[in-house]
Amino acid sequence: MLQHHLQYLFLRVDRYPLFFIIFLLRIVERPLIKMLNKQLFLAGEVKMIRLITLIITILGVSIGSANADPKKVGFIYIGPPGDHGWTYMHDVGRQYMESQLGDAVTSTYIENVPENADAVRAIRKLAASGHDLIFTTSFNYMDQTLEVANEFPDVKFEHATGYKRAANVSTYSARFYEGRTISGHIAGHLTKTNTIGYIASFPIPEVVRGINAFYLAASKVNPDIKIKIIWAFTWYDPGKEADAANTLINQGADILVQHTDTYAPCQAAEKAGVLAFGQASNQEEFCPNAHLTAIEDIWGPYYAQRAQAVVDGTWAEKDTWDGMAEGMVVMSPYNAKLMPTDLIQEAVAMEVAIKDGTLHPFTGPIYDQSGELRVAEGEVADDFMMATMDWYVQGIDGELPQ
């Protein structure tokens, strides 16, 4: 009887709305398609079945997509997105990911998570609440990420700037030191006091590598340059960062560099009438008369790529360390009010050379503070040396905290 009624409906398609036919087809679906093909062929309605088959295919795809649960992607932040620095750029990346993947993903984040046992609780909260992929965006989340990943083997984790991986834990970072090289070149030309102030966060290889890259480039164009370093032992503390900036200014620094997360040092520089480099994002709007340029961290394409891999079921553990060539590190616009045209052109040329591999920030000869040759003339530091760098280059005063 059902067969008879379906044949009748298709033969009299002009009497029935198309949506009604589609509705019926979704009810009977694949088990009766062969039977329908036979009946409609016998009725001479070959063209109609082709149309209906196309409709079924399109409808099936759209309904299947609509019914697929979006993947949940979580982020753990060391500071607030409003820092307009490190965390801000991770959140910009999160939003980019959402814009690219649309309904295939949803995302949440937890901000201001300390790098201690609180991080374990925050990461576990995301994992236990059904998140499929979790990005932990600070170096000292490393062990906490691995601890939770061991508890949730079906959840995928991505840890920023770390080096420990597991079957469900990947690591990723950017070659920020490439930008430090350009900043050092600029500072070496512009300083009048030959004193650079550097606000550092923690003595980890990422930060030490940046200090060394900056000094090597600066001293190459200005052998008389000195760098004064204050270790803030924090990533995000506007008050502490501003205090460090003012201390360095009082010690004669006329250019400030930072590896902390807010624009407080740049604002301190503007207030004091000295120059500064922004951190992680373009911070010129907060200190337009001091901001020379900044290293921008571009996380969005990476986040979109890794989330898409989870959606597709192709995610695999790996390590990523990209730089200017891949677009993960870019320089903010150079401030033409503060930099001469020829210096801007030199900076742009350095960007090109770093991208095409003709300029490497750690090209020998490079000696450490004790006078030991670390990189021979004509050679370049390999990734292992840079990833484990725990020594100052020759010419930097002071001891590296342990």
Side-chain angles (χ1 to χ4, degrees):
M1 183 65 68
L2 175 60
Q3 175 180 336
H4 172 75
H5 285 305
L6 286 170
Q7 181 180 351
Y8 177 76
L9 286 172
F10 285 116
L11 291 174
R12 302 297 303 277
V13 67
D14 58 316
R15 295 278 303 275
Y16 293 87
L18 185 58
F19 74 86
F20 183 56
I21 295 174
I22 294 172
F23 174 74
L24 288 176
L25 286 173
R26 292 303 293 168
I27 294 176
V28 298
E29 222 154 312
R30 294 186 182 278
L32 292 179
I33 285 180
K34 289 185 178 180
M35 178 274 292
L36 288 173
N37 280 338
K38 179 179 179 182
Q39 294 300 318
L40 290 170
F41 179 79
L42 293 175
E45 296 292 334
V46 176
K47 291 184 178 179
M48 182 56 68
I49 190 57
R50 288 176 179 170
L51 173 62
I52 297 302
T53 301
L54 177 62
I55 293 171
I56 292 172
T57 302
I58 295 173
L59 188 63
V61 170
S62 62
I63 289 177
S65 299
N67 289 337
D69 291 333
K71 296 297 183 181
K72 297 177 68 176
V73 184
F75 291 79
I76 300 292
Y77 293 156
I78 186 67
D83 68 2
H84 288 278
W86 176 262
T87 297
Y88 169 74
M89 291 303 285
H90 282 287
D91 201 58
V92 168
R94 177 188 66 83
Q95 295 174 53
Y96 176 89
M97 175 199 71
E98 286 191 334
S99 73
Q100 296 300 299
L101 273 66
D103 294 338
V105 299
T106 61
S107 71
T108 55
Y109 64 84
I110 302 176
E111 62 183 69
N112 294 317
V113 178
E115 295 172 312
N116 53 31
D118 289 342
V120 174
R121 289 187 283 270
I123 300 167
R124 185 182 289 127
K125 178 179 179 180
L126 292 180
S129 58
H131 285 76
D132 303 282
L133 174 64
I134 298 172
F135 292 95
T136 57
T137 64
S138 191
F139 176 81
N140 285 324
Y141 292 151
M142 182 159 53
D143 291 336
Q144 296 92 323
T145 300
L146 288 167
E147 179 179 338
V148 179
N150 186 57
E151 298 172 10
F152 295 87
D154 294 330
V155 178
K156 307 297 187 290
F157 295 83
E158 298 265 351
H159 176 231
T161 71
Y163 56 86
K164 295 180 181 179
R165 290 176 291 281
N168 60 332
V169 180
S170 286
T171 52
Y172 65 102
S173 189
R175 297 180 184 272
F176 312 115
Y177 65 88
E178 294 177 344
R180 300 287 181 199
T181 294
I182 296 173
S183 297
H185 181 85
I186 294 169
H189 279 290
L190 293 182
T191 181
K192 296 176 181 177
T193 65
N194 291 330
T195 302
I196 308 297
Y198 206 116
I199 304 163
S201 48
F202 294 95
I204 61 175
E206 172 196 333
V207 180
V208 176
R209 189 167 57 242
I211 293 170
N212 285 339
F214 180 93
Y215 179 78
L216 286 171
S219 60
K220 186 175 182 180
V221 298
N222 184 351
D224 296 326
I225 205 164
K226 293 294 181 183
I227 185 169
K228 293 182 178 294
I229 304 166
I230 290 182
W231 291 94
F233 292 96
T234 182
W235 293 110
Y236 175 81
D237 188 328
K240 198 170 185 180
E241 293 172 59
D243 288 344
N246 288 322
T247 298
L248 291 167
I249 293 168
N250 289 335
Q251 292 176 354
D254 62 351
I255 298 180
L256 298 181
V257 193
Q258 64 180 97
H259 203 139
T260 52
D261 292 351
T262 79
Y263 51 84
C266 192
Q267 287 191 321
E270 173 140 325
K271 185 176 180 180
V274 300
L275 303 174
F277 295 96
Q279 167 68 12
S281 72
N282 185 353
Q283 299 175 338
E284 185 175 355
E285 65 177 297
F286 304 104
C287 42
N289 299 308
H291 191 276
L292 292 164
T293 184
I295 302 166
E296 294 189 34
D297 310 337
I298 309 300
W299 304 113
Y302 180 79
Y303 288 157
Q305 177 192 48
R306 299 302 278 163
Q308 185 65 58
V310 170
V311 171
D312 296 340
T314 59
W315 187 96
E317 171 268 320
K318 69 172 187 174
D319 177 57
T320 298
W321 197 9
D322 289 343
M324 287 186 168
E326 298 82 7
M328 192 174 275
V329 175
V330 303
M331 300 302 292
S332 293
Y334 300 104
N335 194 332
K337 296 183 301 181
L338 305 174
M339 296 174 57
T341 301
D342 59 345
L343 183 55
I344 293 176
Q345 292 173 342
E346 289 176 16
V348 172
M350 291 179 72
E351 289 187 53
V352 173
I354 289 172
K355 289 177 183 179
D356 67 23
T358 56
L359 172 62
H360 192 290
F362 288 97
T363 299
I366 298 176
Y367 296 85
D368 65 17
Q369 279 183 318
S370 69
E372 178 184 348
L373 180 64
R374 293 284 188 153
V375 181
E377 185 171 1
E379 296 183 2
V380 298
D382 60 25
D383 280 357
F384 179 79
M385 175 181 286
M386 292 190 294
T388 58
M389 193 167 284
D390 59 356
W391 44 271
Y392 282 147
V393 296
Q394 192 173 58
I396 296 179
D397 296 328
E399 294 184 3
L400 180 62
Q402 300 300 316

